[in-house]
Amino acid sequence: MDAVEKKIVEIIEENRETILEFAEDIYNHGELGYKEFRTSEKFREIIGRCSERIQDKLAITGVKAYLNQEKRGNFSLALLGELDALRIPGHAHSNPETQAAHCCGHHAQLAGVVGAALALGRQEIADKLDGQVVFFAVPAEEYGEVEFKNTLIEQGKIQYGGGKCELLRIGAFDDVDACLAHHTSAGGTDVGCGSNNGFVSKVIRIFGKAAHAAAKPEQGVNALSAASLGLQALALNRETFRDEDSVRVHPIMTKGGSLVNVVPDEAVIETLVRGKTLEAFADAAEKTDRSFKAGAYALGAGYRIETMPGYLPQLPQCFPPELADAVEELAGKPVRKVPLAEHSGGSTDVGDVQHLMPVLTFRTGGVKGNLHQSDFDVIDEDEAYILTAKIFAVSTYRLLKDGAKAAKKLKEEYRPRFRSKEEYVEFMNQFNKVEEER
């Protein structure tokens, strides 16, 4: 490491307690997507110390802080940290007011971005960067509460359920050339990413007819029974999904009736329909629709199927060797380079950003248990938070030093799937549709 990198590490170590206090505070106050008002404000408060210009309330809760008032050089690099948590009320660090817990490590991302900002914002470091740095806190990466997000769409507050998707749509990434992104991993530190699944989301409403469940059930139409048939039909379709397509359809029932002695007149299903390719999840989405239409028809019920665009598949992306070397030096040990052929059945809206610009991804450990589960916990704050900050900061410096040579090379060699934001929006909007029959 050169003298500037050593100074970056030194500054982050000097701010250790500030970073850890911020991380612990966010860890204990999880909030759900598009509701992260406290988290957003806490990020804004601390990031204001090391940035010259701030935009907030982007996609409701997003915060975008610029290191420099005016763009320095001709390259802009964004450091991404996600604001939202998951509804896991049984977790030890669950927020009792929201039932949300950071069981996916988004609080560690935010702590890493904050720690990096405290170092990069020091004038002696900022002067060495030949480009703009954007510290970007983004909302709603976890795609849950679909009905709530539909309400926001109806109110005209958003158009997409994913935070980065919405930020892309409104132009918040228009002045960004590339991004650095982080995720937490129980497997320890690694760099680069393989592929993962894209998806669409659905809210399926089955409409029946209420009647006294004991005295006159023959006068009713049981929406719960129709929905149950739909679930069974979907299950029988699973053998038609090809293994190589990594299809995942995982519905939940959010309403199955109102009173036990009344024939249910409405049942509501939320589901994501995932697949490795557009063709795969489009096929699975059609089979999902058919299943619930069949269940409704069999019982004489009606249906309304609302389909929304979800996330695009994550694209394989190598971590540049000069950055991977820095990660190994900071970690004090060899780190895994994720094979480009590696695939995950999960999804992230990082994939949407990748369709327009390069996004370099790294992961750090310091946690135990399983992501999205109540046994998740942080066991090594240094690796989870401090190392994350150092990797964000040193990677930024290596990309933007010497006239941003490495950053410009990254952008020049990248081949985005969409040529413009408008092309991306047009593609996404084809998945906005409603089918209804009563």
Side-chain angles (χ1 to χ4, degrees):
M1 296 205 315
D2 67 16
V4 176
E5 292 168 344
K6 291 177 181 177
K7 187 62 179 178
I8 287 173
V9 171
E10 179 184 320
I11 295 170
I12 290 173
E13 288 292 346
E14 288 173 2
N15 286 277
R16 171 183 292 270
E17 290 308 312
T18 299
I19 298 167
L20 295 182
E21 287 174 11
F22 174 82
E24 190 68 16
D25 180 68
I26 301 303
Y27 194 27
N28 286 301
H29 295 89
E31 296 176 299
L32 300 173
Y34 291 127
K35 302 176 185 176
E36 315 98 324
F37 298 104
R38 181 187 186 278
T39 308
S40 177
E41 182 57 31
K42 289 292 182 180
F43 179 85
R44 194 188 192 287
E45 287 175 6
I46 196 167
I47 213 71
R49 305 177 196 173
C50 34
S51 57
E52 295 184 353
R53 179 161 58 100
I54 295 179
Q55 297 176 355
D56 60 8
K57 300 179 182 177
L58 299 169
I60 302 179
T61 55
V63 179
K64 187 179 182 183
Y66 295 85
L67 179 62
N68 306 301
Q69 180 67 35
E70 300 296 333
K71 186 173 181 179
R72 178 184 294 177
N74 57 0
F75 199 92
S76 181
L77 178 69
L79 280 54
L80 305 181
E82 293 156 352
L83 290 162
D84 61 330
L86 297 140
R87 187 185 297 279
I88 303 182
H91 191 268
H93 292 266
S94 175
N95 183 345
E97 294 182 8
T98 64
Q99 296 188 319
H102 279 288
C103 298
C104 206
H106 292 183
H107 69 298
Q109 297 174 9
L110 292 173
V113 173
V114 163
L118 292 170
L120 298 173
R122 191 77 67 88
Q123 196 61 52
E124 61 193 289
I125 306 299
D127 288 343
K128 303 293 184 182
L129 306 176
D130 296 315
Q132 178 69 279
V133 184
V134 178
F135 309 110
F136 210 162
V138 299
E141 189 274 337
E142 303 291 353
Y143 206 105
E145 295 196 299
V146 178
E147 286 190 87
F148 165 70
K149 291 177 179 177
N150 278 346
T151 300
L152 294 180
I153 291 172
E154 291 168 4
Q155 295 171 352
K157 295 181 178 179
I158 61 171
Q159 286 190 24
Y160 300 146
K164 296 184 195 68
C165 310
E166 183 66 13
L167 290 166
L168 286 167
R169 184 190 71 82
I170 66 174
F173 279 95
D174 283 1
D175 60 354
V176 174
D177 295 300
C179 302
L180 278 172
H182 163 265
H183 214 289
T184 295
S185 170
T189 303
D190 62 32
V191 295
C193 67
S195 60
N196 72 7
N197 280 354
F199 72 89
V200 295
S201 72
K202 292 181 180 291
V203 177
I204 301 160
R205 302 178 187 275
I206 305 298
F207 302 109
K209 181 181 178 182
H212 195 297
K216 295 184 177 180
E218 73 281 359
Q219 294 182 4
V221 175
N222 195 313
L224 176 60
S225 295
S228 297
L229 274 178
L231 289 167
Q232 185 176 357
L234 177 61
L236 292 172
N237 266 297
R238 292 182 190 276
E239 67 180 21
T240 70
F241 301 149
R242 303 190 312 167
D243 294 344
E244 59 266 34
D245 286 335
S246 299
V247 172
R248 303 284 188 274
V249 187
H250 42 95
I252 62 168
M253 182 174 288
T254 60
K255 182 178 180 181
S258 301
L259 293 170
V260 71
N261 59 349
V262 178
V263 172
D265 63 351
E266 184 181 20
V268 181
I269 303 285
E270 288 186 14
T271 191
L272 302 185
V273 182
R274 307 186 198 243
K276 189 174 183 178
T277 66
L278 170 63
E279 294 77 16
F281 65 71
D283 173 71
E286 182 181 353
K287 291 172 180 175
T288 300
D289 291 351
R290 283 205 313 255
S291 296
F292 286 99
K293 290 176 184 177
Y297 182 77
L299 271 294
Y303 63 83
R304 177 183 171 88
I305 301 176
E306 302 171 66
T307 302
M308 291 170 54
Y311 298 162
L312 302 184
Q314 181 173 275
L315 305 176
Q317 175 75 61
C318 289
F319 216 69
E322 62 269 32
L323 270 63
D325 291 345
V327 173
E328 291 192 329
E329 192 165 357
L330 291 166
K333 58 184 177 182
V335 300
R336 179 173 176 263
K337 284 78 173 178
V338 177
L340 295 181
E342 189 167 288
H343 182 76
S344 165
S347 306
T348 172
D349 54 4
V350 167
D352 291 70
V353 183
Q354 284 182 308
H355 278 69
L356 285 161
M357 67 190 70
V359 182
L360 300 179
T361 303
F362 69 94
R363 294 188 288 187
T364 56
V367 300
K368 68 174 183 178
N370 298 289
L371 298 178
H372 292 207
Q373 300 295 318
S374 59
D375 63 349
F376 174 91
D377 202 6
V378 176
I379 56 174
D380 185 341
E381 293 181 332
D382 190 80
E383 184 173 1
Y385 309 136
I386 305 301
L387 178 60
T388 301
K390 292 176 181 177
I391 295 173
F392 263 130
V394 172
S395 296
T396 297
Y397 168 68
R398 289 204 175 185
L399 284 167
L400 296 183
K401 70 176 183 176
D402 300 331
K405 180 180 178 181
K408 291 174 182 176
K409 181 175 183 287
L410 173 69
K411 183 178 180 181
E412 288 167 2
E413 294 179 351
Y414 194 73
R415 298 292 177 264
R417 301 297 175 90
F418 295 120
R419 292 168 293 180
S420 67
K421 172 190 68 181
E422 290 73 22
E423 188 175 336
Y424 165 77
V425 170
E426 182 181 1
F427 178 84
M428 292 287 280
N429 285 347
Q430 69 179 302
F431 297 107
N432 265 323
K433 63 178 182 177
V434 176
E435 294 185 80
E436 185 170 5
E437 185 173 312
R438 301 270 186 145

